Amino acid sequence: MAPRNTPPSSGKKSAESPKKAPRAVAPDFSDSYDETQGEGGETHQIASGDVPTLTTQQGAPVADDQNTLRIGDRGPAALEDFHFREKIFHFDHERIPERVVHARGYGAHGFFELTKSLSDVTRADIFQRVGERTPVFVRFSTVAGSKGSFDLARDVRGFAVKLYTREGNWDLVGNNIPVFFIQDPIKFPDLIHAAKPEPDRMFPQAQTAHDNFWDFISLTPESFHMIMWAMSDRAIPRSFRFMEGFGVHSFRLLDADGRSTFVKFHWKPKLGLQSVLWNEAVKINGADPDFHRRDLWDAISSGDFPEWELGVQLFDEGFADQFAFDVLDSTKLIPEEEVPVQIVGRLVLDRTVDNFFAETEQVAFCTQNVPPGIDFSNDPLLQGRNFSYLDTQIKRLGGPNFTHIPINAPKCPMAHFQQDGHMAMRNPVGRANYEPNSWGAEGGPRENPVTGFRSFEEPVEGTKRRLRPESFADHYSQARQFFISQTPIEQKHIGDALVFELSKVERPDIRSRVVSHLMNIHDDLADTVANGLGLPLPDAATAARPTIHLEPSAALSIVRNGPPDFGGRKVGIYLTDGADAGVFAALVKAIDKEKAVYEVIAPKIGGVTLSDGAKVAAKQKIDGAPSVLFDAVVIIASADGAALIAKDAASQDFVRDAFGHCKFIGYSPEAMPLFVKAGIADDLDDGCMEIGSSNDVAGFVTACRALRNWNRELKVDMDARA
Ligand code: HDE
């Protein structure tokens, strides 16, 4: 063949050379397409029967989508190739700016169903009729990482719900943590700059374990309540399905007479709370960076629809006046013991998106979207957010008509005089595009003082100035309450997380400054962290208000609010050739009965042959299925199978990690050589259960309901003082 840069000596030769070069062959869809030979001998498919004809965006049918229009066999491309130019032009513009925060997210459709009427406190239509369903779209997210970052970052999770009510969209844009880092929205850009990768080096991605974040935090005492939550296991949830959601701010509910009741919104997962360990999170990020989105997709696709209850804390001005903290301060929560959470509805996610970009990426939540009967409080963060969300959508979605995108459009009638702008899809029709007008019935929509949105008529007066109210000054008391509300293992994890994060901070003075705040929260915690970092205990940071003792609240612990059973959890069953067929069958039955799921893991993806000769397909090859992907694991091996897998590093990690992460482990007696090689045979405890026959299966699956055998980990604390 002539070298590519050699000019052809004759037309014939130049025509032959490219034909000899191998060509890519398109995937075979031969069931639905007729195949034909392209000019260059390649195979591609043409439309036939029900298969539509490929067109340009202008609708012109396309005859050849494999080759650009060119002059001569090896000559230049022709500018008139409108199909090529349109295709490339469109591709070049596929990306839109990612969200400045919460860039990585995953959404699903579902419905909200009212189970208890709130008609006595609000006129909001969505809260009137028990049993009525309202369509919703929910987007879960991490905050700091970019769109392509991993799911198991230590981070707050967004829990944004768009409810398409009959009186317009209501966007409850919440998080999985009920408080926030800052008290004034003017600090938000600083907080996010500090948390994101450092601007000169652009790392670390999706993690707060770096100097800038902790520098900012250590200079921002108001953040320490949130820091306790962010360093707890709340920030590494096992699944979106197993986390709570919170509206965070105090909102108002308004009745038909304009009377106001304060409200805080809570989403409580039906399957209980569950998180992973940090060591697991690190490994999940490598094994399956899409762990959370895959989990949500799989659950919905299999008909196991995730569900939350909507709870409300209702309180009046009287409570607000006597509460120890300001109900407008988003760094504080109202303990459920003081104002109980009443369950008023349920949220079910029952439909995955048809298209990620069209729905999950283009959805635009705006805190200002509230229907009549729901109103804002003066929480400064909420007020700031009401500006920011609308503003950011214009940049992200390219213009003011983002409500024309189907995912953002209300599902109730709309009528207004707003018109034009980029990408206007549905301009108002008719002659009048203003009001008041005198065109009578043809003059378009009119305001309605009865059904229309009315703001709470709140008397307000004061001096215009920049200040932080005195009532926001206690930064540590609720941080301490959170810490003392945790079980010992959860307290250990908070200490571990702080030591881990601060160990990545290079400047010792920043580490020390963080510990000086912990001194105002809890002595043991401060001592553990200082010891873990090898620091002398610093003096306590100067506090604007002394820490007061608040009673522990059981609602704040994950472990105390775990699942009622093992439903919705996943077991990894590692099989070898010759594994006991009876045990496997019993296990599958028991897992199904528990409404849990399982995946078969095998030395080869082709699967295994069981003791009775039956073949079982594997979902995963062991190398791609570390035990961190499962809630509990079982190893059913034959003697020969165990001898084989005992030598394999991935198999050893499988059991060693499951043990280290305090998981329940079931195993056939033949599998013991694997535990020996993994170095844990002598440590096996009552969370490691031998399954000698199918009779042992039920006991194992029931034990798994506890999720973890935490005693294993409580025996070791590298950071605490001996
Ligand atoms: Fe957000 N936040 N935020 N935030 N936030 C955004 O809006 C902002 C805050 C939350 O899945 C942005 O559309 C300010 C608290 C979620 O699309 C932006 C302040 C809470 C999502 C913005 C806060 C949240 C966002 C970026 C301090 C929990 C993702 C993209 C005053 C109650 C929504 C966007 C989705 C997104 C601003 C604080 C939750 C820039 C200024 C508190 C779940 O507008």
Side-chain angles (χ1 to χ4, degrees), residues 647-686:
K647 292 183 220 141
D648 171 56
S651 305
Q652 292 168 9
D653 284 350
F654 187 82
V655 288
R656 203 165 27 223
D657 270 351
F659 184 80
H661 299 145
C662 305
K663 286 178 184 163
F664 285 86
I665 304 174
Y667 59 95
S668 61
E670 295 82 359
M672 192 45 76
L674 176 60
F675 293 88
V676 173
K677 285 282 186 187
I680 52 170
D682 294 339
D683 300 321
L684 300 187
D685 55 25
D686 52 1

Side-chain angles (χ1 to χ4, degrees), residues 63-77:
D64 181 349
D65 192 37
Q66 319 303 318
N67 306 294
T68 49
L69 190 65
R70 65 182 71 129
I71 320 292
D73 289 349
R74 299 174 68 213

Side-chain angles (χ1 to χ4, degrees), residues 331-353:
T331 66
K332 308 295 183 310
L333 53 77
I334 301 179
E336 295 188 22
E337 288 75 10
E338 288 194 56
V339 179
V341 175
Q342 305 177 38
I343 302 303
V344 298
R346 64 189 193 111
L347 165 70
V348 178
L349 296 182
D350 61 358
R351 185 159 61 87
T352 54
V353 296

Side-chain angles (χ1 to χ4, degrees), residues 275-323:
S275 285
V276 300
L277 289 167
W278 176 241
N279 186 271
E280 264 184 296
V282 170
K283 291 171 178 167
I284 291 171
N285 285 333
D288 184 3
D290 306 307
F291 189 65
H292 281 159
R293 50 176 64 182
R294 189 189 307 280
D295 174 90
L296 190 68
W297 179 272
D298 286 351
I300 297 175
S301 305
S302 69
D304 183 12
F305 301 139
E307 188 169 334
W308 288 260
E309 289 178 326
L310 176 66
V312 290
Q313 282 180 299
L314 301 176
F315 55 98
D316 57 17
E317 299 277 358
F319 170 84
D321 290 345
Q322 59 83 42
F323 182 51

Side-chain angles (χ1 to χ4, degrees), residues 421-483:
H422 284 292
M423 313 289 168
M425 307 282 170
R426 30 154 219 266
N427 260 12
V429 293
R431 182 158 184 179
N433 58 356
Y434 60 93
E435 69 90 31
N437 65 55
S438 58
W439 292 100
E442 287 164 22
R446 309 291 159 142
E447 64 204 21
N448 185 331
V450 179
T451 61
F453 183 91
R454 281 178 176 280
S455 298
F456 176 59
E457 293 182 5
E458 183 183 11
V460 181
E461 62 178 31
T463 310
K464 182 165 64 181
R465 55 192 169 136
R466 296 180 187 272
L467 90 172
R468 197 65 64 89
E470 273 298 307
S471 54
F472 283 33
D474 178 339
H475 302 317
Y476 302 114
S477 300
Q478 284 205 345
R480 177 186 169 80
Q481 180 181 39
F482 180 79
F483 185 71

Side-chain angles (χ1 to χ4, degrees), residues 357-678:
F357 182 86
E359 294 152 78
T360 308
E361 195 57 17
Q362 291 200 114
V363 68
F365 294 94
C366 298
T367 51
Q368 58 166 27
N369 292 351
V370 287
I374 300 177
D375 201 357
F376 315 111
S377 71
N378 291 337
D379 177 337
L381 275 200
L382 179 56
Q383 306 267 324
R385 293 178 74 199
N386 283 344
F387 166 74
S388 179
Y389 288 68
L390 180 62
D391 185 51
T392 203
Q393 309 309 353
I394 293 171
K395 162 89 174 173
R396 203 166 66 77
L397 298 169
N401 286 319
F402 62 85
T403 52
H404 296 198
I405 300 171
I407 194 71
N408 295 322
K411 297 190 193 298
C412 63
M414 287 161 280
H416 52 75
F417 296 110
Q418 290 161 37
Q419 64 174 31
D420 303 354
H422 284 292
M423 313 289 168
M425 307 282 170
R426 30 154 219 266
N427 260 12
V429 293
R431 182 158 184 179
N433 58 356
Y434 60 93
E435 69 90 31
N437 65 55
S438 58
W439 292 100
E442 287 164 22
R446 309 291 159 142
E447 64 204 21
N448 185 331
V450 179
T451 61
F453 183 91
R454 281 178 176 280
S455 298
F456 176 59
E457 293 182 5
E458 183 183 11
V460 181
E461 62 178 31
T463 310
K464 182 165 64 181
R465 55 192 169 136
R466 296 180 187 272
L467 90 172
R468 197 65 64 89
E470 273 298 307
S471 54
F472 283 33
D474 178 339
H475 302 317
Y476 302 114
S477 300
Q478 284 205 345
R480 177 186 169 80
Q481 180 181 39
F482 180 79
F483 185 71
I484 62 174
S485 300
Q486 307 301 309
T487 58
I489 190 69
E490 290 169 295
Q491 290 188 340
K492 173 177 181 291
H493 290 169
I494 294 172
D496 290 350
L498 282 159
V499 172
F500 174 86
E501 296 259 323
L502 294 171
S503 298
K504 296 276 180 184
V505 168
E506 288 168 11
R507 273 178 43 197
D509 59 314
I510 297 177
R511 296 181 199 147
S512 182
R513 205 156 57 216
V514 173
V515 179
S516 74
H517 292 285
L518 301 180
M519 301 280 289
N520 290 327
I521 296 172
H522 201 283
D523 288 345
D524 293 351
L525 178 64
D527 191 53
T528 299
V529 176
N531 190 51
L533 293 169
L535 277 181
L537 264 185
D539 292 337
T542 310
R545 285 267 185 289
T547 312
I548 54 174
H549 176 76
L550 303 166
E551 290 305 311
S553 165
L556 305 183
S557 149
I558 296 174
V559 170
R560 293 199 172 95
N561 294 281
D565 53 37
F566 199 54
R569 271 66 185 180
K570 191 189 269 186
V571 184
I573 308 179
Y574 189 10
L575 299 177
T576 69
D577 278 335
D580 189 314
V583 169
F584 177 62
L587 199 56
V588 167
K589 203 166 150 199
I591 292 170
D592 275 354
K593 193 167 161 219
E594 193 75 8
K595 293 198 169 55
V597 295
Y598 69 92
E599 277 182 3
V600 168
I601 305 150
K604 293 197 176 85
I605 194 66
V608 297
T609 306
L610 299 180
S611 57
D612 64 354
K615 301 232 183 269
V616 178
K619 169 85 177 168
Q620 304 271 9
K621 175 170 163 55
I622 181 67
D623 312 54
S627 57
V628 291
L629 303 183
F630 306 100
D631 297 294
V633 297
V634 182
I635 301 95
I636 315 176
S638 62
D640 286 351
L644 175 76
I645 64 177
K647 292 183 220 141
D648 171 56
S651 305
Q652 292 168 9
D653 284 350
F654 187 82
V655 288
R656 203 165 27 223
D657 270 351
F659 184 80
H661 299 145
C662 305
K663 286 178 184 163
F664 285 86
I665 304 174
Y667 59 95
S668 61
E670 295 82 359
M672 192 45 76
L674 176 60
F675 293 88
V676 173
K677 285 282 186 187

Side-chain angles (χ1 to χ4, degrees), residues 99 102 139 173-175 188 248 365 385 388-389 392-393:
R99 288 164 173 82
H102 295 265
R139 183 175 179 273
V173 197
N175 279 343
F188 191 65
V248 176
F365 294 94
R385 293 178 74 199
S388 179
Y389 288 68
T392 203
Q393 309 309 353

